[in-house]
Amino acid sequence: MRSLLLVCSLAGVAAAEAPKSAGSATAPTKPVAPVVEKSRVEVQPAGTPFKQLAIENPLGDIKVEGHDGTSIMIETHKRGPDDESMDRLRVSLVPNTDGTVRITTTADKAEGHSVNRNAVGIDLVIRAPRGARVDAIVGNGKLEVLNMDGGGELESASGQITVRNVQGELYTHSVSGRMSLTQVFGSLDASTVSSDLDLDSIQGQKLVASASQGKIAGRRVRSREIELTTTRGNITLEAEASLRGRIYVSSLRGDVDVKLRRAGAVLVRGRGSKVDLGTVAKILPNGWAQVAIGEAQDPAIVELRSQHGFIRFAIVQ
């Protein structure tokens, strides 16, 4: 890909310099502004429509947005301390005959030493056909996917993952990057080690979400099967119970707070040091507190656990 726009500005350059008198102070040297390079390319399918994007960018951000066309448009933003560093930044685009496209970024090593990853960067903004699957990986950059219908798998080390209006089976994983997943229509599996997870307007057959050292907050969730787990973080959930659905929410050391919009009969069980199921509960011999709301042969099942936290449950209108 050839650059279409190159902006290079250097600070601290003077046209002339007056003779310095004895004892005059030396003016501080201004820092050199980074080199910025932007380019754009459009790729048309060669017979087979684009079906899958595999994107790996350890050097910066990735943003993928769906559109109604058949082409893929890639906007690249490169930055570095000097022209020499910029010349070593590479973006590779490999379209395959089966409809898959692989996009990767690299920083070539200079002779005798490697490029300082903190001094260079590449951000990718991609517009792709809505029906394509997106598999993307970032390091500490942001990863954003909008208006896509093919699902995919998104991974990050410490960068934030943002999803909005995505259909299909979706998997998201991060180590310490915060997740914000909104309007996901399909089964969702989201996991993080030490960050928070926000879920809003999730609808599909199954929702599985886990966090070790972070909290989980879910709103307007309508999945038939819901499983939320944390080790030390709190869990809040506002959901709608589906007919013969199952909701399982568990935290080892965090509080569990579930509000349910009832669409039929519900059987609620809670187990922990402090349990409030919103009404007088029956204590079973195995230690579970249980409440039956409504009558049906196959009620929705809600199970809530917290060994060291507080369990709260309520029915809302």
Side-chain angles (χ1 to χ4, degrees):
M1 293 185 292
R2 303 295 298 173
S3 303
L4 302 182
L5 175 62
L6 174 63
V7 179
C8 179
S9 58
L10 301 177
V13 179
E17 210 174 79
K20 294 184 176 66
S21 59
S24 62
T26 301
T29 303
K30 295 182 180 179
V32 178
V35 181
V36 178
E37 180 180 312
K38 301 179 182 179
S39 64
R40 182 178 298 173
V41 66
E42 182 172 358
V43 182
Q44 297 288 347
T48 304
F50 292 125
K51 299 177 181 178
Q52 180 180 0
L53 277 71
I55 313 164
E56 187 171 351
N57 183 16
L59 301 177
D61 302 341
I62 297 175
K63 179 179 180 180
V64 181
E65 185 171 4
H67 71 101
D68 294 327
T70 60
S71 65
I72 294 177
M73 290 165 278
I74 304 171
E75 187 175 301
T76 303
H77 301 249
K78 298 181 181 179
R79 59 191 179 277
D82 49 48
D83 290 334
E84 184 181 358
S85 297
M86 295 289 287
D87 290 340
R88 295 198 292 271
L89 296 180
R90 301 279 185 264
V91 179
S92 173
L93 169 66
V94 181
N96 299 307
T97 56
D98 61 357
T100 63
V101 178
R102 183 171 181 81
I103 303 169
T104 58
T105 67
T106 56
D108 294 342
K109 292 183 178 180
E111 189 173 345
H113 65 278
S114 60
V115 176
N116 183 356
R117 290 292 184 92
N118 296 324
V120 299
I122 303 177
D123 296 333
L124 301 175
V125 179
I126 301 170
R127 299 193 69 222
R130 293 183 189 276
R133 174 185 170 91
V134 178
D135 296 326
I137 302 174
V138 296
N140 60 5
K142 294 183 293 185
L143 175 51
E144 187 175 7
V145 178
L146 312 171
N147 305 324
M148 298 296 292
D149 296 340
E153 185 165 0
L154 311 178
E155 297 184 23
S156 126
S158 58
Q160 178 172 331
I161 296 178
T162 302
V163 171
R164 187 171 70 248
N165 190 24
V166 169
Q167 295 188 42
E169 193 172 44
L170 182 65
Y171 298 85
T172 62
H173 316 280
S174 80
V175 178
S176 59
R178 183 185 180 93
M179 290 191 201
S180 177
L181 312 178
T182 304
Q183 293 178 317
V184 177
F185 305 99
S187 293
L188 172 63
D189 189 321
S191 63
T192 179
V193 177
S194 59
S195 65
D196 296 339
L197 175 55
D198 291 326
L199 306 168
D200 193 346
S201 303
I202 311 298
Q203 183 174 347
Q205 176 63 29
K206 191 170 185 178
L207 164 62
V208 178
S210 63
S212 179
Q213 306 294 327
K215 64 182 181 182
I216 299 176
R219 298 170 295 279
R220 293 179 283 272
V221 176
R222 299 182 62 187
S223 300
R224 182 176 295 276
E225 298 179 38
I226 301 172
E227 183 176 328
L228 309 180
T229 58
T230 67
T231 302
R232 293 183 178 274
N234 296 337
I235 303 176
T236 59
L237 174 66
E238 182 263 301
E240 181 175 314
S242 301
L243 183 64
R244 293 186 295 276
R246 180 177 178 272
I247 299 175
Y248 175 81
V249 182
S250 175
S251 179
L252 177 63
R253 297 186 178 277
D255 295 338
V256 170
D257 190 348
V258 175
K259 296 180 174 63
L260 197 63
R261 298 184 183 276
R262 183 166 64 95
V266 180
L267 181 63
V268 184
R269 300 189 185 106
R271 184 167 186 172
S273 58
K274 300 177 182 179
V275 179
D276 178 6
L277 300 184
T279 185
V280 178
K282 180 181 178 181
I283 306 301
L284 303 180
N286 58 9
W288 284 86
Q290 178 173 295
V291 171
I293 303 172
E295 295 182 3
Q297 188 173 0
D298 296 312
I301 304 297
V302 178
E303 292 187 0
L304 312 176
R305 291 173 177 257
S306 180
Q307 186 171 341
H308 300 285
F310 191 13
I311 294 175
R312 302 179 184 87
F313 175 83
I315 294 290
V316 296
Q317 301 299 324

